[in-house]
mmCIF file of all heavy atoms in Angstrom:
data_model
loop_
_atom_site.group_PDB
_atom_site.id
_atom_site.type_symbol
_atom_site.label_atom_id
_atom_site.label_comp_id
_atom_site.label_asym_id
_atom_site.label_seq_id
_atom_site.Cartn_x
_atom_site.Cartn_y
_atom_site.Cartn_z
ATOM 1 N N MET A 1 34.719 53.693 -26.195
ATOM 2 C CA MET A 1 36.134 53.452 -26.092
ATOM 3 C C MET A 1 36.348 51.949 -26.033
ATOM 4 O O MET A 1 35.719 51.257 -25.213
ATOM 5 C CB MET A 1 36.689 54.087 -24.811
ATOM 6 C CG MET A 1 36.681 55.569 -24.826
ATOM 7 S SD MET A 1 37.484 56.282 -23.372
ATOM 8 C CE MET A 1 36.237 55.925 -22.089
ATOM 9 N N ILE A 2 37.209 51.458 -26.894
ATOM 10 C CA ILE A 2 37.498 50.038 -26.987
ATOM 11 C C ILE A 2 38.980 49.828 -26.641
ATOM 12 O O ILE A 2 39.832 50.352 -27.354
ATOM 13 C CB ILE A 2 37.165 49.445 -28.375
ATOM 14 C CG1 ILE A 2 35.685 49.685 -28.698
ATOM 15 C CG2 ILE A 2 37.589 47.964 -28.468
ATOM 16 C CD1 ILE A 2 35.329 49.382 -30.147
ATOM 17 N N PRO A 3 39.273 49.094 -25.551
ATOM 18 C CA PRO A 3 40.675 48.858 -25.234
ATOM 19 C C PRO A 3 41.275 47.925 -26.310
ATOM 20 O O PRO A 3 40.678 46.932 -26.724
ATOM 21 C CB PRO A 3 40.650 48.139 -23.881
ATOM 22 C CG PRO A 3 39.218 48.025 -23.487
ATOM 23 C CD PRO A 3 38.365 48.517 -24.611
ATOM 24 N N LEU A 4 42.521 48.271 -26.717
ATOM 25 C CA LEU A 4 43.223 47.453 -27.706
ATOM 26 C C LEU A 4 44.311 46.632 -27.053
ATOM 27 O O LEU A 4 44.802 47.001 -25.953
ATOM 28 C CB LEU A 4 43.816 48.384 -28.818
ATOM 29 C CG LEU A 4 42.796 49.216 -29.553
ATOM 30 C CD1 LEU A 4 43.510 50.176 -30.524
ATOM 31 C CD2 LEU A 4 41.819 48.353 -30.327
ATOM 32 N N ALA A 5 44.733 45.556 -27.689
ATOM 33 C CA ALA A 5 45.712 44.646 -27.123
ATOM 34 C C ALA A 5 47.028 45.329 -26.792
ATOM 35 O O ALA A 5 47.740 44.973 -25.874
ATOM 36 C CB ALA A 5 45.957 43.479 -28.070
ATOM 37 N N ASP A 6 47.405 46.365 -27.540
ATOM 38 C CA ASP A 6 48.680 47.053 -27.351
ATOM 39 C C ASP A 6 48.628 48.136 -26.273
ATOM 40 O O ASP A 6 49.571 48.899 -26.120
ATOM 41 C CB ASP A 6 49.159 47.632 -28.687
ATOM 42 C CG ASP A 6 48.251 48.740 -29.221
ATOM 43 O OD1 ASP A 6 47.240 49.076 -28.586
ATOM 44 O OD2 ASP A 6 48.584 49.249 -30.331
ATOM 45 N N GLY A 7 47.491 48.203 -25.566
ATOM 46 C CA GLY A 7 47.352 49.172 -24.472
ATOM 47 C C GLY A 7 46.739 50.498 -24.947
ATOM 48 O O GLY A 7 46.444 51.371 -24.094
ATOM 49 N N ARG A 8 46.571 50.660 -26.234
ATOM 50 C CA ARG A 8 45.976 51.902 -26.736
ATOM 51 C C ARG A 8 44.464 51.756 -26.677
ATOM 52 O O ARG A 8 43.927 50.719 -26.247
ATOM 53 C CB ARG A 8 46.405 52.111 -28.185
ATOM 54 C CG ARG A 8 47.952 52.229 -28.296
ATOM 55 C CD ARG A 8 48.407 52.461 -29.707
ATOM 56 N NE ARG A 8 48.258 53.847 -29.947
ATOM 57 C CZ ARG A 8 47.964 54.382 -31.158
ATOM 58 N NH1 ARG A 8 47.788 53.600 -32.206
ATOM 59 N NH2 ARG A 8 47.856 55.682 -31.304
ATOM 60 N N THR A 9 43.755 52.786 -27.085
ATOM 61 C CA THR A 9 42.303 52.800 -27.063
ATOM 62 C C THR A 9 41.799 53.182 -28.415
ATOM 63 O O THR A 9 42.302 54.122 -29.050
ATOM 64 C CB THR A 9 41.794 53.816 -26.007
ATOM 65 O OG1 THR A 9 42.282 53.380 -24.743
ATOM 66 C CG2 THR A 9 40.282 53.890 -25.979
ATOM 67 N N ARG A 10 40.768 52.543 -28.892
ATOM 68 C CA ARG A 10 40.061 52.925 -30.135
ATOM 69 C C ARG A 10 38.825 53.751 -29.672
ATOM 70 O O ARG A 10 37.948 53.251 -28.945
ATOM 71 C CB ARG A 10 39.649 51.733 -30.921
ATOM 72 C CG ARG A 10 38.885 52.088 -32.212
ATOM 73 C CD ARG A 10 38.780 50.953 -33.196
ATOM 74 N NE ARG A 10 40.160 50.740 -33.646
ATOM 75 C CZ ARG A 10 40.622 49.492 -33.965
ATOM 76 N NH1 ARG A 10 39.872 48.426 -33.881
ATOM 77 N NH2 ARG A 10 41.887 49.383 -34.389
ATOM 78 N N VAL A 11 38.753 54.956 -30.169
ATOM 79 C CA VAL A 11 37.587 55.831 -29.892
ATOM 80 C C VAL A 11 36.716 55.777 -31.114
ATOM 81 O O VAL A 11 37.166 56.065 -32.222
ATOM 82 C CB VAL A 11 38.042 57.284 -29.619
ATOM 83 C CG1 VAL A 11 36.805 58.152 -29.369
ATOM 84 C CG2 VAL A 11 38.999 57.324 -28.404
ATOM 85 N N VAL A 12 35.460 55.347 -30.916
ATOM 86 C CA VAL A 12 34.547 55.091 -32.001
ATOM 87 C C VAL A 12 33.317 55.967 -31.869
ATOM 88 O O VAL A 12 32.674 55.982 -30.797
ATOM 89 C CB VAL A 12 34.100 53.607 -32.038
ATOM 90 C CG1 VAL A 12 33.175 53.356 -33.215
ATOM 91 C CG2 VAL A 12 35.324 52.691 -32.141
ATOM 92 N N TYR A 13 32.922 56.678 -32.908
ATOM 93 C CA TYR A 13 31.688 57.364 -33.020
ATOM 94 C C TYR A 13 30.875 56.641 -34.104
ATOM 95 O O TYR A 13 31.408 56.416 -35.188
ATOM 96 C CB TYR A 13 31.850 58.810 -33.443
ATOM 97 C CG TYR A 13 32.263 59.794 -32.375
ATOM 98 C CD1 TYR A 13 33.054 59.425 -31.282
ATOM 99 C CD2 TYR A 13 31.795 61.101 -32.420
ATOM 100 C CE1 TYR A 13 33.426 60.302 -30.351
ATOM 101 C CE2 TYR A 13 32.156 62.028 -31.434
ATOM 102 C CZ TYR A 13 32.948 61.620 -30.382
ATOM 103 O OH TYR A 13 33.298 62.521 -29.411
ATOM 104 N N ARG A 14 29.635 56.300 -33.805
ATOM 105 C CA ARG A 14 28.826 55.596 -34.751
ATOM 106 C C ARG A 14 27.378 56.166 -34.717
ATOM 107 O O ARG A 14 26.801 56.290 -33.671
ATOM 108 C CB ARG A 14 28.727 54.099 -34.403
ATOM 109 C CG ARG A 14 27.853 53.306 -35.336
ATOM 110 C CD ARG A 14 28.000 51.787 -35.037
ATOM 111 N NE ARG A 14 27.320 50.980 -36.033
ATOM 112 C CZ ARG A 14 26.065 50.471 -35.821
ATOM 113 N NH1 ARG A 14 25.439 50.679 -34.722
ATOM 114 N NH2 ARG A 14 25.512 49.772 -36.786
ATOM 115 N N MET A 15 26.872 56.578 -35.883
ATOM 116 C CA MET A 15 25.520 57.081 -36.001
ATOM 117 C C MET A 15 24.679 56.080 -36.751
ATOM 118 O O MET A 15 25.076 55.551 -37.770
ATOM 119 C CB MET A 15 25.489 58.425 -36.732
ATOM 120 C CG MET A 15 24.032 58.891 -36.979
ATOM 121 S SD MET A 15 23.931 60.574 -37.595
ATOM 122 C CE MET A 15 24.089 61.412 -36.023
ATOM 123 N N VAL A 16 23.471 55.889 -36.242
ATOM 124 C CA VAL A 16 22.471 55.062 -36.936
ATOM 125 C C VAL A 16 21.188 55.884 -36.968
ATOM 126 O O VAL A 16 20.746 56.396 -35.984
ATOM 127 C CB VAL A 16 22.208 53.720 -36.174
ATOM 128 C CG1 VAL A 16 21.112 52.926 -36.845
ATOM 129 C CG2 VAL A 16 23.479 52.910 -36.082
ATOM 130 N N ILE A 17 20.653 56.011 -38.183
ATOM 131 C CA ILE A 17 19.418 56.690 -38.395
ATOM 132 C C ILE A 17 18.375 55.642 -38.788
ATOM 133 O O ILE A 17 18.568 54.894 -39.719
ATOM 134 C CB ILE A 17 19.506 57.765 -39.468
ATOM 135 C CG1 ILE A 17 20.584 58.806 -39.170
ATOM 136 C CG2 ILE A 17 18.126 58.443 -39.734
ATOM 137 C CD1 ILE A 17 20.812 59.827 -40.226
ATOM 138 N N THR A 18 17.278 55.582 -37.993
ATOM 139 C CA THR A 18 16.219 54.634 -38.236
ATOM 140 C C THR A 18 14.870 55.306 -38.343
ATOM 141 O O THR A 18 14.683 56.432 -37.833
ATOM 142 C CB THR A 18 16.161 53.537 -37.118
ATOM 143 O OG1 THR A 18 15.980 54.171 -35.849
ATOM 144 C CG2 THR A 18 17.448 52.724 -37.087
ATOM 145 N N GLY A 19 13.930 54.598 -38.892
ATOM 146 C CA GLY A 19 12.568 55.108 -39.000
ATOM 147 C C GLY A 19 12.129 55.117 -40.456
ATOM 148 O O GLY A 19 12.914 54.892 -41.384
ATOM 149 N N PRO A 20 10.868 55.405 -40.670
ATOM 150 C CA PRO A 20 10.337 55.461 -42.009
ATOM 151 C C PRO A 20 11.077 56.447 -42.890
ATOM 152 O O PRO A 20 11.274 57.606 -42.489
ATOM 153 C CB PRO A 20 8.857 55.898 -41.834
ATOM 154 C CG PRO A 20 8.562 55.574 -40.421
ATOM 155 C CD PRO A 20 9.833 55.688 -39.645
ATOM 156 N N GLY A 21 11.578 55.990 -44.008
ATOM 157 C CA GLY A 21 12.301 56.861 -44.950
ATOM 158 C C GLY A 21 13.754 57.055 -44.587
ATOM 159 O O GLY A 21 14.465 57.810 -45.266
ATOM 160 N N ALA A 22 14.306 56.383 -43.549
ATOM 161 C CA ALA A 22 15.681 56.575 -43.129
ATOM 162 C C ALA A 22 16.629 56.207 -44.283
ATOM 163 O O ALA A 22 17.713 56.798 -44.394
ATOM 164 C CB ALA A 22 15.955 55.788 -41.866
ATOM 165 N N ASP A 23 16.254 55.212 -45.043
ATOM 166 C CA ASP A 23 17.122 54.777 -46.127
ATOM 167 C C ASP A 23 17.240 55.894 -47.237
ATOM 168 O O ASP A 23 18.224 55.915 -48.019
ATOM 169 C CB ASP A 23 16.690 53.471 -46.776
ATOM 170 C CG ASP A 23 15.244 53.467 -47.234
ATOM 171 O OD1 ASP A 23 14.451 54.350 -46.784
ATOM 172 O OD2 ASP A 23 14.864 52.590 -48.045
ATOM 173 N N GLU A 24 16.234 56.788 -47.293
ATOM 174 C CA GLU A 24 16.305 57.874 -48.241
ATOM 175 C C GLU A 24 16.797 59.152 -47.570
ATOM 176 O O GLU A 24 17.663 59.864 -48.168
ATOM 177 C CB GLU A 24 14.910 58.165 -48.789
ATOM 178 C CG GLU A 24 14.366 56.987 -49.646
ATOM 179 C CD GLU A 24 12.936 57.255 -50.074
ATOM 180 O OE1 GLU A 24 12.440 58.418 -49.958
ATOM 181 O OE2 GLU A 24 12.285 56.304 -50.522
ATOM 182 N N VAL A 25 16.337 59.471 -46.394
ATOM 183 C CA VAL A 25 16.715 60.709 -45.684
ATOM 184 C C VAL A 25 18.143 60.583 -45.133
ATOM 185 O O VAL A 25 18.916 61.540 -45.220
ATOM 186 C CB VAL A 25 15.717 61.014 -44.579
ATOM 187 C CG1 VAL A 25 16.187 62.210 -43.757
ATOM 188 C CG2 VAL A 25 14.341 61.256 -45.129
ATOM 189 N N GLY A 26 18.508 59.427 -44.605
ATOM 190 C CA GLY A 26 19.828 59.214 -44.019
ATOM 191 C C GLY A 26 20.975 59.631 -44.938
ATOM 192 O O GLY A 26 21.849 60.394 -44.549
ATOM 193 N N PRO A 27 20.991 59.157 -46.183
ATOM 194 C CA PRO A 27 22.095 59.539 -47.085
ATOM 195 C C PRO A 27 22.126 61.061 -47.400
ATOM 196 O O PRO A 27 23.134 61.578 -47.786
ATOM 197 C CB PRO A 27 21.850 58.714 -48.346
ATOM 198 C CG PRO A 27 21.008 57.586 -47.935
ATOM 199 C CD PRO A 27 20.164 58.050 -46.791
ATOM 200 N N ARG A 28 20.982 61.714 -47.192
ATOM 201 C CA ARG A 28 20.922 63.206 -47.452
ATOM 202 C C ARG A 28 21.442 63.959 -46.274
ATOM 203 O O ARG A 28 22.145 64.958 -46.396
ATOM 204 C CB ARG A 28 19.509 63.617 -47.824
ATOM 205 C CG ARG A 28 19.111 63.199 -49.202
ATOM 206 C CD ARG A 28 17.911 63.985 -49.736
ATOM 207 N NE ARG A 28 16.839 64.184 -48.774
ATOM 208 C CZ ARG A 28 15.697 63.489 -48.793
ATOM 209 N NH1 ARG A 28 15.486 62.549 -49.724
ATOM 210 N NH2 ARG A 28 14.776 63.690 -47.906
ATOM 211 N N ILE A 29 21.060 63.530 -45.042
ATOM 212 C CA ILE A 29 21.380 64.353 -43.852
ATOM 213 C C ILE A 29 22.561 63.808 -43.080
ATOM 214 O O ILE A 29 23.340 64.526 -42.465
ATOM 215 C CB ILE A 29 20.183 64.540 -42.931
ATOM 216 C CG1 ILE A 29 19.720 63.233 -42.285
ATOM 217 C CG2 ILE A 29 19.033 65.256 -43.652
ATOM 218 C CD1 ILE A 29 18.724 63.386 -41.177
ATOM 219 N N GLY A 30 22.726 62.485 -43.097
ATOM 220 C CA GLY A 30 23.792 61.853 -42.332
ATOM 221 C C GLY A 30 25.188 62.349 -42.601
ATOM 222 O O GLY A 30 25.934 62.679 -41.685
ATOM 223 N N PRO A 31 25.593 62.423 -43.902
ATOM 224 C CA PRO A 31 26.952 62.837 -44.215
ATOM 225 C C PRO A 31 27.221 64.279 -43.702
ATOM 226 O O PRO A 31 28.344 64.577 -43.302
ATOM 227 C CB PRO A 31 27.052 62.779 -45.737
ATOM 228 C CG PRO A 31 26.076 61.640 -46.063
ATOM 229 C CD PRO A 31 24.925 61.865 -45.106
ATOM 230 N N GLY A 32 26.249 65.123 -43.727
ATOM 231 C CA GLY A 32 26.421 66.462 -43.174
ATOM 232 C C GLY A 32 26.594 66.494 -41.695
ATOM 233 O O GLY A 32 27.424 67.290 -41.148
ATOM 234 N N ILE A 33 25.881 65.624 -41.013
ATOM 235 C CA ILE A 33 25.964 65.567 -39.544
ATOM 236 C C ILE A 33 27.346 65.016 -39.125
ATOM 237 O O ILE A 33 27.935 65.462 -38.127
ATOM 238 C CB ILE A 33 24.849 64.760 -38.967
ATOM 239 C CG1 ILE A 33 23.482 65.383 -39.260
ATOM 240 C CG2 ILE A 33 25.036 64.488 -37.502
ATOM 241 C CD1 ILE A 33 22.258 64.506 -38.986
#
C-alpha cells in the first residue's frame, strides 16, 4: 500500500520470478498466475 498525496492509497501487487531459466519459464507461467 502506497499513500498518495490526495489521501488515497495505491494498492500494488508485484511478482518477480528469479532463478535459472526464469527468463524463459516466467513468460510461460507468470501471465497465468
Side-chain angles (χ1 to χ4, degrees):
M1 292 184 288
I2 300 170
L4 301 174
D6 64 1
R8 301 180 82 211
T9 299
R10 178 165 292 146
V11 179
V12 181
Y13 278 35
R14 180 173 187 261
M15 173 171 279
V16 176
I17 301 175
T18 57
D23 56 340
E24 295 174 15
V25 175
R28 287 199 315 258
I29 67 170
I33 296 168

